[in-house]
Amino acid sequence: MVGMTNSVSPTLSRRSLIAAGAAFAIGGAIPVARASPAGGRFIELPPIASAHAAPRRITAWLPAEYDRASWGFPVIYLHDGQLMADPKGDTIQSAIAGTLTELVARQAAEPAIIVGIWSSTDRLREFCPAAFMPALPPAARIGVEDACRGPALSEGYVRYLAEELKPAIDRLFRTRPDPADTSVVGTGMGGMAALYAVGRRPELFGNAAWIAGGSPLVPYGKAVLSDEEVTGVERAFEHAFDRIIPQAGRHRFYLDYGDCGTDLFAYPFQGAADPVLYDRGYRRGGDLLCEGAPHPDFRRVSDDEKLRAALSLLLRPGGCTPRPGED
C-alpha cells in the first residue's frame, strides 16, 4: 500500500486484496478505497458473513500515516458508521476522522484506524443490552421491548464484533490487536453498546466512549418515564453495570451527558455507572472521564469538544485528556 496519495483514487495492495478475499467472502467483491477530505482514506468493505448478527457494510478509515509507517495502529470501532463518510454531516461520526487528524497534528492522540460499523434494520435491538433487561421494572421492560420492536439482540451483536469483525479487520489491516489499543465508540444507544461490548468481552475490547445522544433504552426521547420508573431503571442499570464493568487497570472509559434536549434523558442511565466505576478502581484524570455539561465555567460544551476529549483519552497512552472544553 506504499505510494498511495490522496490526490488519486487509491487501490489496495495485492497483499491486502488477498487478505480481503480471505476475510470478506461475498461473491468475489473486493474493498473499494477513496480519498478522505480529512486526509487519509476511506475503504468500503463488503459485508462479513455472520453466524450471530445480520451482515452489514463496513466503512474503514486509514490515517495518512498508514502509508508512511510499517507498524501497527490502534483501532476504533465506531457504531452508526454509515454516517462517517458523509461530507455534509454534522454528527460525531462524520467529524471523527477530521478531529482525529487534528489531534494527531497537535500530538494529542495517536493515529488510529477507524472501523465504521453500519447499523442494521435491528439497530435498537442490537444496541439494547440484554443483560440489563431482567433487572428493569416490568413496565419499563415491556416499554423498552415495544420501542425496540422485539427482544434485545445484543449478545449476538457482541459476538459478531468479537468473533467475526475484529479478526477480519486484524487480518486485513496492520493493527495493534491488544485490548489496550482496541476501543469502541458510539452515541446514544450506540454508546451504551460500546460500553456493553467492553463489559462482555474485556479480553478483546479495552476502552469505550459513550457520547451523549438519544436517550438510552427510551429511544429518541419519545417515551416518557415517571420519576418512580426512572428510579427503578437507575437501580437496574447500577445492578447491571456491577455485573459487566471490569476492574480498573487495563481499560479506559469516557462518558458524558448534557443538560438539554435528549441529553437530559442520558444522565440517569449513565450516572448509574459512576458508583460502579469508582468501586472498580477507575479514577478521573487517569483512566476515566465522566463529564456533564455545561462546563464548570457555565458555558455549553460542544459535540466537537466532547469528541476531542474522548479521542484524546482513548488514544493518548499513559495519560488522561483535560475535561471537555479544556485544552
Side-chain angles (χ1 to χ4, degrees):
M1 302 176 76
V2 175
M4 296 183 193
T5 68
N6 292 332
S7 61
V8 298
S9 177
T11 57
L12 291 172
S13 69
R14 181 174 180 275
R15 178 180 179 184
S16 292
L17 290 176
I18 292 172
F24 300 93
I26 182 83
I30 60 175
V32 177
R34 57 191 171 85
S36 162
R41 64 189 181 280
F42 291 113
I43 297 180
E44 302 295 337
L45 303 174
I48 300 172
S50 175
H52 306 295
R56 77 228 33 239
R57 292 172 61 184
I58 301 295
T59 299
W61 180 79
L62 302 183
E65 291 81 3
Y66 190 86
D67 292 327
R68 302 198 292 262
S70 59
W71 58 74
F73 290 79
V75 179
I76 290 176
Y77 290 91
L78 177 69
H79 288 138
D80 297 312
Q82 70 276 10
L83 303 173
M84 184 168 67
D86 181 359
K88 298 181 180 179
D90 59 356
T91 65
I92 291 290
Q93 289 82 0
S94 62
I96 191 170
T99 301
L100 179 54
T101 299
E102 170 201 328
L103 291 172
V104 170
R106 292 169 44 196
Q107 299 184 332
E110 285 191 275
I113 297 168
I114 304 172
V115 178
I117 309 164
W118 287 47
S119 300
S120 77
T121 55
D122 283 323
R123 174 185 183 272
L124 298 181
R125 295 177 67 191
E126 289 179 333
F127 290 172
C128 182
F132 288 29
M133 300 299 287
L136 288 174
R141 184 169 65 250
I142 293 171
V144 168
E145 291 186 349
D146 286 347
C148 293
R149 299 182 180 179
L153 299 175
S154 56
E155 298 306 307
Y157 181 67
V158 170
R159 291 193 66 179
Y160 160 75
L161 297 179
E163 300 173 20
E164 296 166 337
L165 178 59
K166 185 179 186 302
I169 295 299
D170 289 339
R171 288 194 298 267
L172 181 57
F173 300 113
R174 295 195 310 276
T175 68
R176 300 209 303 253
D178 291 344
D181 295 308
T182 306
S183 304
V184 192
V185 174
T187 60
M189 286 189 70
M192 179 187 295
L195 189 149
Y196 194 69
V198 174
R200 277 307 204 204
R201 299 301 294 267
E203 78 282 7
L204 296 177
F205 304 112
N207 318 301
W210 179 355
I211 299 173
S215 54
L217 290 191
V218 188
Y220 312 119
K222 291 180 180 178
V224 177
L225 298 179
S226 67
D227 290 344
E228 182 179 352
E229 287 172 322
V230 168
T231 298
V233 171
E234 286 179 305
R235 290 173 179 169
F237 265 48
E238 187 171 344
H239 172 76
F241 283 133
D242 188 56
R243 294 176 57 194
I244 70 167
I245 290 178
Q247 289 291 331
R250 299 181 60 191
H251 305 279
R252 299 177 188 177
F253 290 110
Y254 174 90
L255 298 88
D256 68 54
Y257 44 86
D259 64 345
C260 65
T262 56
D263 280 8
L264 276 172
F265 293 91
Y267 173 66
F269 308 107
Q270 288 180 329
D274 286 1
V276 180
L277 287 163
Y278 299 140
D279 184 61
R280 293 289 189 276
Y282 294 90
R283 293 293 178 265
R284 295 190 187 192
D287 49 14
L288 173 66
L289 275 178
C290 192
E291 302 295 353
H295 196 264
D297 63 6
F298 300 105
R299 65 178 180 81
R300 190 162 306 285
V301 177
S302 69
D303 284 347
D304 287 344
E305 290 172 315
K306 293 177 180 180
L307 183 56
R308 285 198 296 270
L311 292 177
S312 296
L313 173 66
L314 301 182
L315 296 172
R316 190 165 74 184
C320 184
T321 180
R323 293 170 60 98
E326 291 183 351
D327 293 325

